[in-house]
Amino acid sequence: EVQLVESGGGLVQAGGSLRLSCAASGFTFDEYAIAWFRQAPGKEREGVSCIMSREGIEWYADSVKGRFTISTDSAKNTVYLQMNSLKPEDTAVYYCAAEEMPIVYYTDAKAYDYWGRGTQVTVSS
């Protein structure tokens, strides 16, 4: 059974940093695309970043490029999202998602079958 568990969210002031973790189990880590999405109140879920280790691909939304970094620890089956220079508009529930490769529309939430429950990130101004 595929399981994804996020952690690391919290309240931070603008300009601060947080590191989110997504602990994955139940699948072969390198055979899946793993992504971070976020959803703010009243808004649609949007892609933030994606990593496909086997393909050597990383993707970032324009809104986070240069501030967020996605990484993996295969030994721990964990994906991280390092978030620096946080802005109030980054406030959202952040979700980890996974889908077996190949995957074409990796920026689209509909392409992912497996989801964690999310972790709240709140950035105060």
Side-chain angles (χ1 to χ4, degrees):
E1 179 188 5
V2 173
Q3 288 192 330
L4 301 168
V5 180
E6 303 97 334
S7 62
L11 172 64
V12 64
Q13 287 188 332
S17 299
L18 283 173
R19 188 177 81 157
L20 305 184
S21 300
C22 172
S25 62
F27 61 93
T28 303
F29 200 66
D30 288 345
E31 295 180 358
Y32 278 65
I34 302 179
W36 287 96
F37 288 80
R38 67 186 181 187
Q39 188 164 20
K43 294 188 176 182
E44 290 191 357
R45 194 168 295 190
E46 64 171 353
V48 174
S49 183
C50 176
I51 187 165
M52 289 173 272
S53 299
R54 190 185 70 187
E55 309 296 335
I57 293 174
E58 291 181 13
W59 168 83
Y60 297 94
D62 287 343
S63 58
V64 307
K65 209 171 287 184
R67 300 187 298 122
F68 290 11
T69 303
I70 194 168
S71 62
T72 63
D73 184 335
S74 296
K76 295 182 179 180
N77 273 17
T78 299
V79 176
Y80 303 98
L81 186 69
Q82 178 67 42
M83 307 187 295
N84 298 329
S85 302
L86 283 161
K87 305 175 181 179
E89 51 263 44
D90 294 319
T91 295
V93 178
Y94 283 70
Y95 297 91
C96 179
E99 183 59 37
E100 188 172 11
M101 292 191 286
I103 179 173
V104 176
Y105 301 107
Y106 51 82
T107 65
D108 187 345
K110 297 184 185 68
Y112 292 83
D113 284 333
Y114 304 105
W115 291 84
R117 293 190 173 185
T119 184
Q120 175 71 47
V121 171
T122 303
V123 184
S124 63
S125 56

